[in-house]
């Protein structure tokens, strides 16, 4: 799960998971590591289970050397870790995993919600008639209290555990954002 937060700063260190066990992203190095589409796709693969460079390369249709280079960046940023090794035919395979099951973008990070929108657009496949799909932009006129209540309801829904499991079905993305919209208002009508 990816999420941006707009909560008061909690003093959590950038490499310390939050209350849901999500790694809170703050540093420019972490933003750089996730800002490249190939690395973002690798992170999505590693959400499923630890993998070797060869398995990542096969899944992404790329060379092992290219994948090795791109694994290094999120590893140096503290997002990916080495979880084990295995001897194979005169060599050693390394298994890599995410350091956390979910990632949350801190409100003070150099990237914000736009990062998630770009990530969703990069993952979005063209829809087919037989697949469920719905995209809409809706504007709601809410009071601040109503907006806070809606945010709390959506947070509760989005915080439900839903582990990545390729044996269970196909991946679907759900991007939701509650934001102050730059929509002008008409002045009240003259009563003539």
């Amino acid at each position: 799960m990816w999420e941006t937060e707009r909560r008061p700063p909690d003093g959590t260190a950038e490499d310390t998971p939050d209350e849901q066990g999500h790694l809170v992203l703050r540093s420019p190095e972490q933003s750089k590591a996730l800002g490249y589409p190939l690395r973002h796709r690798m992170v999505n693969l590693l959400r499923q289970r630890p993998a070797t460079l060869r398995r990542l390369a096969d899944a992404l249709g790329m060379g092992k050397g290219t994948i090795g280079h791109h694994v290094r960046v999120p590893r140096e940023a503290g997002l990916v870790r080495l979880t084990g090794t295995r001897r194979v035919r005169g060599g050693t395979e390394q298994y890599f995993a995410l350091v956390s099951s979910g990632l949350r973008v801190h409100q003070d990070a150099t990237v914000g919600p736009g990062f998630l929108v770009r990530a969703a657009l990069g993952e979005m496949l063209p829809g087919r008639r037989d697949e469920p799909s719905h995209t809409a932009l809706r504007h709601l006129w809410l009071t601040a209290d109503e907006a806070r209540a809606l945010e709390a309801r959506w947070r509760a829904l989005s915080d439900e555990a839903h582990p990545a499991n390729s044996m269970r079905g196909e991946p679907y993305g759900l991007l939701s954002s509650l934001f102050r919209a730059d929509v002008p208002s008409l002045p009240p009508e003259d009563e003539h």
Side-chain angles (χ1 to χ4, degrees):
M1 177 177 77
W2 295 86
E3 184 176 340
T4 61
E5 65 175 22
R6 293 189 59 131
R7 298 178 182 177
D10 58 7
T12 306
E14 66 187 41
D15 59 351
T16 304
D18 68 4
E19 62 275 2
Q20 285 88 28
H22 300 133
L23 181 66
V24 180
L25 307 176
R26 291 186 175 97
S27 76
E29 294 79 18
Q30 292 169 329
S31 299
K32 177 184 172 193
L34 295 171
Y36 192 75
L38 174 61
R39 290 192 289 264
H40 181 85
R41 294 189 73 194
M42 284 185 343
V43 166
N44 281 335
L45 285 169
L46 292 173
R47 288 182 64 222
Q48 296 172 36
R49 66 180 174 274
T52 63
L53 293 178
R54 170 59 51 212
R55 289 193 178 165
L56 290 170
D58 290 347
L60 293 167
M62 311 225 37
K64 188 176 168 184
T66 300
I67 297 302
H69 166 76
H70 285 287
V71 164
R72 182 180 48 81
V73 178
R75 188 171 178 201
E76 288 174 356
L79 306 174
V80 171
R81 62 186 168 90
L82 179 67
T83 60
T85 59
R86 183 178 76 139
R87 296 283 299 157
V88 290
R89 289 184 250 133
T92 302
E93 281 187 323
Q94 297 178 323
Y95 284 82
F96 296 94
L98 293 179
V99 298
S100 175
S101 62
L103 303 171
R104 182 177 308 239
V105 180
H106 190 271
Q107 70 180 14
D108 296 331
T110 57
V111 297
F115 164 77
L116 295 179
V117 171
R118 287 186 299 279
L121 288 173
E123 294 175 8
M124 199 176 288
L125 295 172
R128 295 188 323 222
R129 288 186 192 264
D130 62 334
E131 291 179 331
S133 177
H134 177 73
T135 302
L137 173 60
R138 178 95 194 265
H139 293 106
L140 308 172
W141 273 253
L142 304 171
T143 66
D145 287 340
E146 290 169 330
R148 278 191 277 282
L150 182 58
E151 178 190 25
R153 284 182 18 212
W154 180 246
R155 253 187 217 284
L157 286 172
S158 64
D159 282 345
E160 288 180 11
H162 195 86
N165 182 350
S166 60
M167 302 306 288
R168 185 172 183 272
E170 297 294 323
Y172 282 84
L174 179 61
L175 174 66
S176 176
S177 181
L178 179 64
F179 57 93
R180 285 284 312 272
D182 184 12
V183 176
S185 295
L186 290 172
E189 285 195 42
D190 291 339
E191 296 189 34
H192 291 334

